[in-house]
Amino acid sequence: MAPPDSKVPGRQPDFRALSARPQYFKGRVIRFSILLTLAAFAILQLHVNLYRSKALGHQLPGSSPDDAPFKWEDVTPTEQLIYHPCFEIYECARLELPMDWNRTDGKGSKIALAVIKLPAKVPVTDVRYGGAILLNPGGPGGSGASFVFRYGKAIQTIVDSAESPSADPATGKYFDVVSFDPRGVNNTTPNFSCFPDPMARKAWSLQSEAEGALGSSETAFDTRWARFEAFGMSCSQPSAESSENEEWIGPFMNTAPVVADMVELVERHGEWREQETERLLSTAIDASPHEPNLDIEAIKLQNRWNKGQEKLLYWGFSYGTVLGATFSAMQPHRIGRAVIDGVCNANDYYAGMWLANLQDADAALDSFFEYCHTAGPTSCPFARGHGGPEDLKFRFEQLLTNLTSSPIAVAASGGRGPEIITYSDVTLLVKNSLYSPLKSFEFVAQVLADLEHGNGSSFADFKIKAKKWNGPPSCDPSSKHCKVPGESDSEAAMNIVCTDGPGIDGIPKEVFRSYWHTLRGQSKAIGDFWAEIRMSCIRLQTRPEWRYDGPFTGNTSHPLLFIGNTYDPVTPLQNAYAMARGFPDSIVLKQNSVGHCSLSGPSLCTAKAVRQYFQSGELPDPGIVCEVEELPFHIPGYEKQQVMSPDDTALMSALHLLGETSNLLGV
Ligand SMILES: *[C@@H]1O[C@H](CO)[C@@H](O)[C@H](O)[C@H]1NC(C)=O
Ligand SMILES: *[C@@H]1O[C@H](CO)[C@@H](O)[C@H](O)[C@H]1NC(C)=O
Ligand SMILES: *[C@@H]1O[C@H](CO)[C@@H](O)[C@H](O)[C@H]1NC(C)=O
Ligand SMILES: *[C@@H]1O[C@H](CO)[C@@H](O)[C@H](O)[C@H]1NC(C)=O
Ligand SMILES: *[C@@H]1O[C@H](CO)[C@@H](O)[C@H](O)[C@H]1NC(C)=O
Ligand SMILES: *[C@@H]1O[C@H](CO)[C@@H](O)[C@H](O)[C@H]1NC(C)=O
């Protein structure tokens, strides 16, 4: 959940700019963004590698050949899933759903759920069509549209048959990869926002950043407290614009209605599949030379919309495990497959306590010193001297202590203005790095080594880059009507978290202070940041219209696959075992790595277990432990030096790309 960081509010990648500079990650370069504000709620800057393949030969009805860029608002929301070509190789739909699922009079506001699909490599009429796998990237408040746009292809490489469709006999399966922007998030409308305009949001976030994280000074707690009071009060009321007979989205963004949205999405997919089958069969009777024996009736039967019985295929990360567990508990008969990856304890989450996250956080931090020491100074610049990991840790702590009284001054240079590097900057950077050690530890080691010498220039460059803000495109940033989708996602995240919890409006400050100390006791590395998640709820009055808070048990129609890492900084392995107990026959796959969710460490073993699960439904053996192929600082991993098969090579490149996501996947 609480996203490690995020996209700085307002920072909108533009599709063209991104596709113009595909970035491949190569060991040393690390760029991840800093959480500038509401530490808990930002989602990290992603690295994007766009796949530009146009290999998918299927032209959709209504797709126009002109190259006008796709805009969500040009699509009319519909009750059926109607896909439109978007972003070159994807298809997008806006599904109209009731804002209030409990309203029976058929009136009331609607939401338009932004749905994105990377189409399967075979048409639905092919016997190898496997259905649609729905993803949730976490957050809460993570944009599924953005996730599939960036990583859909890589996910498809993992879940699809290892063979290409032309080489595969009739046994493999090929899947659509689908996700959506949850209620109040990004391209799903209406949006949820607590600021009148982007400038106000930016000013707020820069000020909070400058004040420093909890624990950074004597006054930080009190200042943050006041800030979250103001914030909560501002998010509790509908904006003046909403009229009387229109409901306000605030009470309808929690997880239970999202499960209802997913049920509807799964049903509408069944309807779409049936219609698409009819359409292809009627237009292509003579047009499928490679399938001369097409048994039309059998295909129609197989693809018939199973009204009210359609099943979910799902892979959820981090908060997406709360969503997956909630769905599994509320709709156990609808589970086709569900991978629950980077597991939250749903009971703790719905209790709003956030006390079941940091059990392994400090072990994850310790791994930094251990790996650094093992790698030595050539790979880990912070590894000078003769001491062991404990000495590195001691120097790190001393550096932090020094920073509290003496932030490092950095002179302007190049295009960058003057900067300072503070205790909060360093602790935030280190915290974020624990989500994705493989991608981040080297950069952290370099920064720490520099800072020890009083040199803050590389960190300052990084900080400025992360903060860089272009403002909303082509309009006056102070204008109320100049809003960019996604810029208020951290506010949406806060509202989801707070309305999923029991509500703590009015909690006494001293009670909260002792809660904060409890979290600090759990983890020195993350406790201070973690307390801000719950703190964001202190004055939020909004209560959800309909809430589900357990029990998280169920005889699911197919067993669940849980995945946990040895040391996940925010979703400890023990949660995977605890949650699995509620779901008979489910299996826990342990990935032997440090980082958040399985994608943070490339593991062929994990990828193949997930593929097998989607391909045939088969679960790995109980007690399975998967090793990773690579470790931080280029320390050799499990199979690294072996000659890889073409399939393993393809999987590894998908996993490398996906390794960039883990900053995004907050719990
Ligand atoms: C809302 O609907 C759900 C299921 O549709 C039901 O379980 C729940 O009790 C309803 N809540 C209210 C307040 O009516
Ligand atoms: C911290 O400050 C002390 C005293 O000023 C100094 O001796 C030490 O080298 C500093 N350590 C680091 C890591 O900056
Ligand atoms: C500071 O560190 C950077 C990058 O690590 C290096 O390029 C630069 O020369 C250093 N500056 C000084 C004054 O040592
Ligand atoms: C968010 O909603 C408000 C009013 O509900 C609207 O004025 C604004 O344009 C929306 N912002 C975006 C980015 O759609
Ligand atoms: C919102 O979705 C678009 C795709 O339509 C994506 O490019 C963008 O990054 C998303 N924004 C956020 C904040 O996730
Ligand atoms: C699952 O089924 C078993 C036996 O069929 C039953 O004893 C158990 O109560 C069921 N559990 C749930 C959560 O429904």
Short mmCIF file of all heavy atoms in Angstrom, two decimals, residues 315-371:
data_model
loop_
_atom_site.label_atom_id
_atom_site.label_comp_id
_atom_site.label_asym_id
_atom_site.label_seq_id
_atom_site.Cartn_x
_atom_site.Cartn_y
_atom_site.Cartn_z
N TRP A 315 -4.06 -11.59 -11.26
CA TRP A 315 -2.71 -11.49 -10.65
C TRP A 315 -2.65 -10.12 -10.00
O TRP A 315 -2.69 -9.11 -10.69
CB TRP A 315 -1.63 -11.66 -11.71
CG TRP A 315 -0.22 -11.80 -11.19
CD1 TRP A 315 0.23 -11.68 -9.90
CD2 TRP A 315 0.95 -12.09 -11.98
NE1 TRP A 315 1.59 -11.90 -9.83
CE2 TRP A 315 2.05 -12.15 -11.10
CE3 TRP A 315 1.16 -12.31 -13.35
CZ2 TRP A 315 3.36 -12.40 -11.55
CZ3 TRP A 315 2.46 -12.56 -13.79
CH2 TRP A 315 3.54 -12.61 -12.89
N GLY A 316 -2.60 -10.12 -8.67
CA GLY A 316 -2.60 -8.86 -7.94
C GLY A 316 -1.36 -8.73 -7.09
O GLY A 316 -0.89 -9.70 -6.50
N PHE A 317 -0.84 -7.51 -7.04
CA PHE A 317 0.39 -7.22 -6.31
C PHE A 317 0.10 -6.28 -5.15
O PHE A 317 -0.64 -5.31 -5.31
CB PHE A 317 1.39 -6.52 -7.25
CG PHE A 317 1.68 -7.29 -8.50
CD1 PHE A 317 0.96 -7.04 -9.67
CD2 PHE A 317 2.65 -8.28 -8.51
CE1 PHE A 317 1.21 -7.76 -10.83
CE2 PHE A 317 2.91 -9.01 -9.67
CZ PHE A 317 2.19 -8.74 -10.83
N SER A 318 0.74 -6.55 -4.00
CA SER A 318 0.70 -5.59 -2.91
C SER A 318 -0.74 -5.31 -2.49
O SER A 318 -1.45 -6.23 -2.13
CB SER A 318 1.44 -4.34 -3.38
OG SER A 318 1.75 -3.53 -2.31
N TYR A 319 -1.20 -4.05 -2.56
CA TYR A 319 -2.61 -3.81 -2.25
C TYR A 319 -3.51 -4.70 -3.12
O TYR A 319 -4.60 -5.09 -2.70
CB TYR A 319 -2.99 -2.33 -2.45
CG TYR A 319 -4.50 -2.16 -2.62
CD1 TYR A 319 -5.34 -2.17 -1.51
CD2 TYR A 319 -5.06 -2.06 -3.89
CE1 TYR A 319 -6.71 -2.09 -1.67
CE2 TYR A 319 -6.43 -1.99 -4.06
CZ TYR A 319 -7.26 -2.00 -2.94
OH TYR A 319 -8.61 -1.92 -3.11
N GLY A 320 -3.04 -5.04 -4.30
CA GLY A 320 -3.81 -5.94 -5.17
C GLY A 320 -4.06 -7.29 -4.52
O GLY A 320 -4.95 -8.03 -4.94
N THR A 321 -3.29 -7.61 -3.47
CA THR A 321 -3.56 -8.85 -2.74
C THR A 321 -4.74 -8.68 -1.78
O THR A 321 -5.46 -9.63 -1.50
CB THR A 321 -2.33 -9.35 -1.94
OG1 THR A 321 -2.05 -8.46 -0.85
CG2 THR A 321 -1.09 -9.46 -2.83
N VAL A 322 -4.92 -7.46 -1.29
CA VAL A 322 -6.11 -7.17 -0.49
C VAL A 322 -7.34 -7.32 -1.38
O VAL A 322 -8.33 -7.96 -1.02
CB VAL A 322 -6.07 -5.73 0.09
CG1 VAL A 322 -7.40 -5.37 0.74
CG2 VAL A 322 -4.93 -5.58 1.08
N LEU A 323 -7.23 -6.73 -2.55
CA LEU A 323 -8.33 -6.80 -3.51
C LEU A 323 -8.61 -8.26 -3.89
O LEU A 323 -9.76 -8.70 -3.92
CB LEU A 323 -7.97 -5.96 -4.74
CG LEU A 323 -9.02 -5.79 -5.83
CD1 LEU A 323 -10.30 -5.19 -5.27
CD2 LEU A 323 -8.46 -4.89 -6.95
N GLY A 324 -7.55 -9.01 -4.14
CA GLY A 324 -7.72 -10.41 -4.53
C GLY A 324 -8.31 -11.25 -3.40
O GLY A 324 -9.17 -12.10 -3.62
N ALA A 325 -7.84 -11.00 -2.18
CA ALA A 325 -8.36 -11.77 -1.04
C ALA A 325 -9.82 -11.39 -0.77
O ALA A 325 -10.63 -12.24 -0.41
CB ALA A 325 -7.51 -11.51 0.20
N THR A 326 -10.13 -10.13 -0.95
CA THR A 326 -11.51 -9.68 -0.73
C THR A 326 -12.43 -10.31 -1.77
O THR A 326 -13.51 -10.82 -1.45
CB THR A 326 -11.60 -8.14 -0.78
OG1 THR A 326 -10.61 -7.59 0.09
CG2 THR A 326 -12.97 -7.66 -0.35
N PHE A 327 -11.97 -10.29 -3.01
CA PHE A 327 -12.76 -10.92 -4.08
C PHE A 327 -12.94 -12.41 -3.77
O PHE A 327 -14.04 -12.95 -3.87
CB PHE A 327 -12.06 -10.73 -5.43
CG PHE A 327 -12.88 -11.17 -6.62
CD1 PHE A 327 -13.48 -10.23 -7.44
CD2 PHE A 327 -13.04 -12.52 -6.91
CE1 PHE A 327 -14.24 -10.63 -8.54
CE2 PHE A 327 -13.80 -12.93 -8.00
CZ PHE A 327 -14.40 -11.98 -8.82
N SER A 328 -11.86 -13.06 -3.37
CA SER A 328 -11.92 -14.51 -3.11
C SER A 328 -12.85 -14.84 -1.94
O SER A 328 -13.47 -15.91 -1.93
CB SER A 328 -10.52 -15.05 -2.80
OG SER A 328 -9.64 -14.76 -3.84
N ALA A 329 -12.92 -13.93 -0.98
CA ALA A 329 -13.79 -14.17 0.17
C ALA A 329 -15.25 -13.87 -0.20
O ALA A 329 -16.16 -14.59 0.21
CB ALA A 329 -13.36 -13.30 1.34
N MET A 330 -15.47 -12.83 -0.99
CA MET A 330 -16.84 -12.45 -1.33
C MET A 330 -17.41 -13.29 -2.46
O MET A 330 -18.62 -13.48 -2.55
CB MET A 330 -16.89 -10.96 -1.73
CG MET A 330 -16.58 -10.00 -0.57
SD MET A 330 -16.43 -8.28 -1.15
CE MET A 330 -18.13 -7.89 -1.54
N GLN A 331 -16.54 -13.74 -3.37
CA GLN A 331 -17.00 -14.44 -4.57
C GLN A 331 -16.15 -15.71 -4.80
O GLN A 331 -15.58 -15.88 -5.88
CB GLN A 331 -16.83 -13.52 -5.80
CG GLN A 331 -17.52 -12.20 -5.72
CD GLN A 331 -19.00 -12.31 -6.10
OE1 GLN A 331 -19.39 -13.20 -6.84
NE2 GLN A 331 -19.81 -11.40 -5.59
N PRO A 332 -16.10 -16.58 -3.80
CA PRO A 332 -15.18 -17.72 -3.92
C PRO A 332 -15.47 -18.62 -5.13
O PRO A 332 -14.56 -19.21 -5.70
CB PRO A 332 -15.38 -18.50 -2.61
CG PRO A 332 -16.65 -18.00 -2.03
CD PRO A 332 -16.83 -16.60 -2.51
N HIS A 333 -16.74 -18.67 -5.52
CA HIS A 333 -17.12 -19.53 -6.65
C HIS A 333 -16.69 -18.96 -8.00
O HIS A 333 -16.82 -19.61 -9.01
CB HIS A 333 -18.63 -19.71 -6.65
CG HIS A 333 -19.37 -18.40 -6.77
ND1 HIS A 333 -19.41 -17.47 -5.74
CD2 HIS A 333 -20.03 -17.84 -7.80
CE1 HIS A 333 -20.09 -16.41 -6.14
NE2 HIS A 333 -20.48 -16.60 -7.39
N ARG A 334 -16.18 -17.74 -7.98
CA ARG A 334 -15.79 -17.12 -9.25
C ARG A 334 -14.28 -17.16 -9.50
O ARG A 334 -13.78 -16.54 -10.41
CB ARG A 334 -16.23 -15.65 -9.27
CG ARG A 334 -17.71 -15.47 -9.54
CD ARG A 334 -17.95 -13.99 -9.76
NE ARG A 334 -19.35 -13.68 -9.93
CZ ARG A 334 -19.96 -13.60 -11.12
NH1 ARG A 334 -19.29 -13.84 -12.22
NH2 ARG A 334 -21.23 -13.27 -11.19
N ILE A 335 -13.56 -17.87 -8.66
CA ILE A 335 -12.11 -17.90 -8.85
C ILE A 335 -11.75 -18.94 -9.91
O ILE A 335 -11.94 -20.14 -9.72
CB ILE A 335 -11.38 -18.22 -7.53
CG1 ILE A 335 -11.63 -17.13 -6.49
CG2 ILE A 335 -9.87 -18.37 -7.78
CD1 ILE A 335 -11.11 -15.74 -6.85
N GLY A 336 -11.21 -18.47 -11.03
CA GLY A 336 -10.65 -19.35 -12.04
C GLY A 336 -9.18 -19.58 -11.71
O GLY A 336 -8.71 -20.70 -11.57
N ARG A 337 -8.47 -18.46 -11.55
CA ARG A 337 -7.09 -18.47 -11.07
C ARG A 337 -6.89 -17.17 -10.30
O ARG A 337 -7.42 -16.14 -10.71
CB ARG A 337 -6.07 -18.44 -12.21
CG ARG A 337 -6.24 -19.47 -13.30
CD ARG A 337 -5.54 -20.79 -12.95
NE ARG A 337 -5.59 -21.68 -14.09
CZ ARG A 337 -6.62 -22.50 -14.35
NH1 ARG A 337 -7.66 -22.55 -13.54
NH2 ARG A 337 -6.60 -23.28 -15.41
N ALA A 338 -6.09 -17.21 -9.24
CA ALA A 338 -5.72 -15.94 -8.60
C ALA A 338 -4.33 -16.06 -8.00
O ALA A 338 -4.08 -16.93 -7.14
CB ALA A 338 -6.74 -15.52 -7.55
N VAL A 339 -3.42 -15.21 -8.47
CA VAL A 339 -2.08 -15.12 -7.91
C VAL A 339 -2.06 -13.90 -6.99
O VAL A 339 -2.41 -12.80 -7.39
CB VAL A 339 -1.01 -14.97 -9.01
CG1 VAL A 339 0.38 -14.87 -8.39
CG2 VAL A 339 -1.07 -16.14 -9.99
N ILE A 340 -1.67 -14.16 -5.75
CA ILE A 340 -1.73 -13.15 -4.70
C ILE A 340 -0.27 -12.89 -4.31
O ILE A 340 0.32 -13.66 -3.55
CB ILE A 340 -2.55 -13.69 -3.50
CG1 ILE A 340 -3.91 -14.26 -3.95
CG2 ILE A 340 -2.73 -12.67 -2.41
CD1 ILE A 340 -4.90 -13.25 -4.42
N ASP A 341 0.30 -11.82 -4.81
CA ASP A 341 1.76 -11.65 -4.85
C ASP A 341 2.21 -10.42 -4.04
O ASP A 341 1.89 -9.29 -4.40
CB ASP A 341 2.14 -11.49 -6.34
CG ASP A 341 3.65 -11.45 -6.59
OD1 ASP A 341 4.42 -11.25 -5.64
OD2 ASP A 341 4.03 -11.63 -7.76
N GLY A 342 2.96 -10.65 -2.97
CA GLY A 342 3.36 -9.54 -2.08
C GLY A 342 2.20 -9.30 -1.13
O GLY A 342 1.49 -8.32 -1.23
N VAL A 343 2.03 -10.23 -0.19
CA VAL A 343 0.73 -10.38 0.48
C VAL A 343 0.56 -9.47 1.70
O VAL A 343 1.38 -9.46 2.62
CB VAL A 343 0.54 -11.86 0.91
CG1 VAL A 343 -0.85 -12.06 1.49
CG2 VAL A 343 0.77 -12.79 -0.28
N CYS A 344 -0.54 -8.75 1.70
CA CYS A 344 -0.94 -7.96 2.85
C CYS A 344 -1.82 -8.83 3.73
O CYS A 344 -2.55 -9.68 3.25
CB CYS A 344 -1.80 -6.77 2.42
SG CYS A 344 -0.97 -5.68 1.29
N ASN A 345 -1.78 -8.54 5.01
CA ASN A 345 -2.72 -9.18 5.91
C ASN A 345 -4.03 -8.39 5.84
O ASN A 345 -4.11 -7.26 6.33
CB ASN A 345 -2.15 -9.19 7.33
CG ASN A 345 -3.08 -9.91 8.28
OD1 ASN A 345 -4.29 -9.71 8.25
ND2 ASN A 345 -2.52 -10.77 9.11
N ALA A 346 -5.03 -8.99 5.23
CA ALA A 346 -6.27 -8.25 4.98
C ALA A 346 -6.96 -7.84 6.28
O ALA A 346 -7.56 -6.76 6.35
CB ALA A 346 -7.22 -9.08 4.12
N ASN A 347 -6.86 -8.66 7.32
CA ASN A 347 -7.49 -8.28 8.59
C ASN A 347 -6.87 -7.02 9.15
O ASN A 347 -7.56 -6.11 9.59
CB ASN A 347 -7.38 -9.43 9.59
CG ASN A 347 -8.21 -10.62 9.16
OD1 ASN A 347 -9.42 -10.52 8.96
ND2 ASN A 347 -7.54 -11.75 8.96
N ASP A 348 -5.57 -6.95 9.10
CA ASP A 348 -4.86 -5.77 9.59
C ASP A 348 -5.16 -4.56 8.70
O ASP A 348 -5.39 -3.46 9.19
CB ASP A 348 -3.35 -6.05 9.60
CG ASP A 348 -2.53 -4.83 9.97
OD1 ASP A 348 -2.58 -4.44 11.15
OD2 ASP A 348 -1.88 -4.26 9.09
N TYR A 349 -5.20 -4.79 7.41
CA TYR A 349 -5.47 -3.70 6.48
C TYR A 349 -6.85 -3.09 6.75
O TYR A 349 -7.00 -1.86 6.86
CB TYR A 349 -5.39 -4.19 5.03
CG TYR A 349 -5.87 -3.18 4.02
CD1 TYR A 349 -5.04 -2.16 3.58
CD2 TYR A 349 -7.17 -3.22 3.54
CE1 TYR A 349 -5.49 -1.20 2.68
CE2 TYR A 349 -7.64 -2.27 2.64
CZ TYR A 349 -6.80 -1.27 2.21
OH TYR A 349 -7.26 -0.31 1.33
N TYR A 350 -7.86 -3.94 6.87
CA TYR A 350 -9.21 -3.41 7.08
C TYR A 350 -9.39 -2.85 8.49
O TYR A 350 -10.31 -2.07 8.74
CB TYR A 350 -10.27 -4.46 6.76
CG TYR A 350 -10.48 -4.64 5.27
CD1 TYR A 350 -9.96 -5.73 4.59
CD2 TYR A 350 -11.19 -3.69 4.54
CE1 TYR A 350 -10.14 -5.88 3.22
CE2 TYR A 350 -11.38 -3.83 3.17
CZ TYR A 350 -10.86 -4.93 2.51
OH TYR A 350 -11.04 -5.08 1.16
N ALA A 351 -8.53 -3.26 9.42
CA ALA A 351 -8.57 -2.66 10.75
C ALA A 351 -7.90 -1.29 10.72
O ALA A 351 -7.91 -0.56 11.71
CB ALA A 351 -7.90 -3.57 11.77
N GLY A 352 -7.30 -0.95 9.60
CA GLY A 352 -6.68 0.36 9.44
C GLY A 352 -5.44 0.55 10.28
O GLY A 352 -5.04 1.68 10.57
N MET A 353 -4.81 -0.55 10.68
CA MET A 353 -3.71 -0.43 11.63
C MET A 353 -2.33 -0.39 10.99
O MET A 353 -1.40 0.18 11.54
CB MET A 353 -3.77 -1.58 12.65
CG MET A 353 -4.98 -1.52 13.57
SD MET A 353 -5.16 0.06 14.43
CE MET A 353 -3.84 -0.07 15.62
N TRP A 354 -2.14 -1.08 9.91
CA TRP A 354 -0.85 -1.10 9.24
C TRP A 354 0.26 -1.64 10.15
O TRP A 354 1.40 -1.18 10.11
CB TRP A 354 -0.48 0.31 8.73
CG TRP A 354 -1.52 0.81 7.80
CD1 TRP A 354 -2.64 1.52 8.13
CD2 TRP A 354 -1.59 0.60 6.38
NE1 TRP A 354 -3.41 1.76 7.01
CE2 TRP A 354 -2.78 1.20 5.91
CE3 TRP A 354 -0.77 -0.06 5.46
CZ2 TRP A 354 -3.16 1.17 4.58
CZ3 TRP A 354 -1.15 -0.08 4.13
CH2 TRP A 354 -2.34 0.54 3.71
N LEU A 355 -0.12 -2.60 10.97
CA LEU A 355 0.86 -3.17 11.91
C LEU A 355 1.42 -4.49 11.41
O LEU A 355 2.25 -5.10 12.06
CB LEU A 355 0.20 -3.38 13.28
CG LEU A 355 -0.12 -2.09 14.05
CD1 LEU A 355 -0.96 -2.40 15.30
CD2 LEU A 355 1.16 -1.35 14.44
N ALA A 356 0.97 -4.96 10.26
CA ALA A 356 1.44 -6.26 9.76
C ALA A 356 2.23 -6.09 8.46
O ALA A 356 2.09 -6.88 7.53
CB ALA A 356 0.25 -7.20 9.55
N ASN A 357 3.02 -5.04 8.40
CA ASN A 357 3.77 -4.78 7.18
C ASN A 357 5.29 -4.78 7.33
O ASN A 357 6.02 -5.13 6.41
CB ASN A 357 3.36 -3.43 6.58
CG ASN A 357 1.91 -3.41 6.15
OD1 ASN A 357 1.06 -2.84 6.83
ND2 ASN A 357 1.62 -4.07 5.04
N LEU A 358 5.76 -4.32 8.49
CA LEU A 358 7.19 -3.99 8.58
C LEU A 358 8.03 -5.05 9.27
O LEU A 358 9.19 -4.80 9.61
CB LEU A 358 7.35 -2.63 9.28
CG LEU A 358 6.54 -1.49 8.65
CD1 LEU A 358 6.81 -0.18 9.39
CD2 LEU A 358 6.88 -1.34 7.16
N GLN A 359 7.46 -6.23 9.46
CA GLN A 359 8.17 -7.27 10.22
C GLN A 359 9.54 -7.60 9.62
O GLN A 359 10.46 -7.94 10.35
CB GLN A 359 7.31 -8.53 10.33
CG GLN A 359 6.24 -8.47 11.42
CD GLN A 359 5.13 -7.48 11.15
OE1 GLN A 359 4.87 -7.13 9.99
NE2 GLN A 359 4.49 -6.98 12.19
N ASP A 360 9.69 -7.51 8.32
CA ASP A 360 10.97 -7.85 7.71
C ASP A 360 11.71 -6.64 7.14
O ASP A 360 12.71 -6.79 6.42
CB ASP A 360 10.75 -8.88 6.58
CG ASP A 360 10.26 -10.23 7.13
OD1 ASP A 360 10.54 -10.54 8.31
OD2 ASP A 360 9.61 -10.97 6.37
N ALA A 361 11.21 -5.46 7.43
CA ALA A 361 11.77 -4.26 6.79
C ALA A 361 13.24 -4.05 7.18
O ALA A 361 14.08 -3.74 6.34
CB ALA A 361 10.94 -3.03 7.15
N ASP A 362 13.55 -4.21 8.46
CA ASP A 362 14.94 -3.96 8.87
C ASP A 362 15.88 -5.07 8.42
O ASP A 362 17.06 -4.82 8.15
CB ASP A 362 15.02 -3.72 10.39
CG ASP A 362 14.47 -2.32 10.75
OD1 ASP A 362 14.12 -1.56 9.80
OD2 ASP A 362 14.39 -1.99 11.94
N ALA A 363 15.32 -6.27 8.26
CA ALA A 363 16.14 -7.35 7.68
C ALA A 363 16.45 -7.00 6.22
O ALA A 363 17.55 -7.29 5.73
CB ALA A 363 15.41 -8.69 7.77
N ALA A 364 15.51 -6.39 5.54
CA ALA A 364 15.76 -5.97 4.16
C ALA A 364 16.87 -4.92 4.12
O ALA A 364 17.76 -4.96 3.28
CB ALA A 364 14.47 -5.43 3.52
N LEU A 365 16.82 -3.99 5.09
CA LEU A 365 17.88 -2.98 5.15
C LEU A 365 19.23 -3.64 5.47
O LEU A 365 20.25 -3.31 4.85
CB LEU A 365 17.56 -1.90 6.19
CG LEU A 365 18.67 -0.85 6.38
CD1 LEU A 365 18.95 -0.10 5.08
CD2 LEU A 365 18.29 0.14 7.49
N ASP A 366 19.22 -4.56 6.40
CA ASP A 366 20.48 -5.25 6.73
C ASP A 366 21.08 -5.94 5.50
O ASP A 366 22.30 -6.03 5.36
CB ASP A 366 20.26 -6.29 7.84
CG ASP A 366 20.06 -5.61 9.20
OD1 ASP A 366 20.40 -4.42 9.33
OD2 ASP A 366 19.54 -6.28 10.12
N SER A 367 20.21 -6.39 4.63
CA SER A 367 20.72 -7.08 3.44
C SER A 367 21.55 -6.11 2.58
O SER A 367 22.47 -6.54 1.89
CB SER A 367 19.58 -7.68 2.60
OG SER A 367 18.98 -6.71 1.77
N PHE A 368 21.21 -4.84 2.65
CA PHE A 368 22.01 -3.85 1.91
C PHE A 368 23.47 -3.91 2.37
O PHE A 368 24.40 -3.97 1.56
CB PHE A 368 21.44 -2.44 2.09
CG PHE A 368 22.32 -1.36 1.52
CD1 PHE A 368 22.29 -1.05 0.17
CD2 PHE A 368 23.21 -0.66 2.34
CE1 PHE A 368 23.11 -0.08 -0.38
CE2 PHE A 368 24.04 0.32 1.81
CZ PHE A 368 23.99 0.61 0.45
N PHE A 369 23.66 -3.90 3.68
CA PHE A 369 25.03 -3.90 4.20
C PHE A 369 25.73 -5.23 3.91
O PHE A 369 26.92 -5.27 3.60
CB PHE A 369 25.03 -3.59 5.69
CG PHE A 369 24.32 -2.29 5.99
CD1 PHE A 369 23.09 -2.28 6.65
CD2 PHE A 369 24.86 -1.07 5.58
CE1 PHE A 369 22.43 -1.08 6.89
CE2 PHE A 369 24.21 0.12 5.83
CZ PHE A 369 22.97 0.12 6.49
N GLU A 370 24.95 -6.30 3.99
CA GLU A 370 25.54 -7.61 3.74
C GLU A 370 25.95 -7.78 2.27
O GLU A 370 27.07 -8.18 1.96
CB GLU A 370 24.56 -8.73 4.16
CG GLU A 370 24.53 -8.89 5.68
CD GLU A 370 23.19 -9.39 6.20
OE1 GLU A 370 22.41 -9.98 5.41
OE2 GLU A 370 22.92 -9.19 7.41
N TYR A 371 25.04 -7.46 1.39
CA TYR A 371 25.38 -7.55 -0.04
C TYR A 371 26.53 -6.62 -0.39
O TYR A 371 27.43 -6.97 -1.15
CB TYR A 371 24.17 -7.19 -0.92
CG TYR A 371 23.08 -8.24 -0.98
CD1 TYR A 371 21.74 -7.89 -0.83
CD2 TYR A 371 23.38 -9.58 -1.24
CE1 TYR A 371 20.73 -8.84 -0.91
CE2 TYR A 371 22.38 -10.53 -1.33
CZ TYR A 371 21.05 -10.15 -1.16
OH TYR A 371 20.06 -11.10 -1.25
#
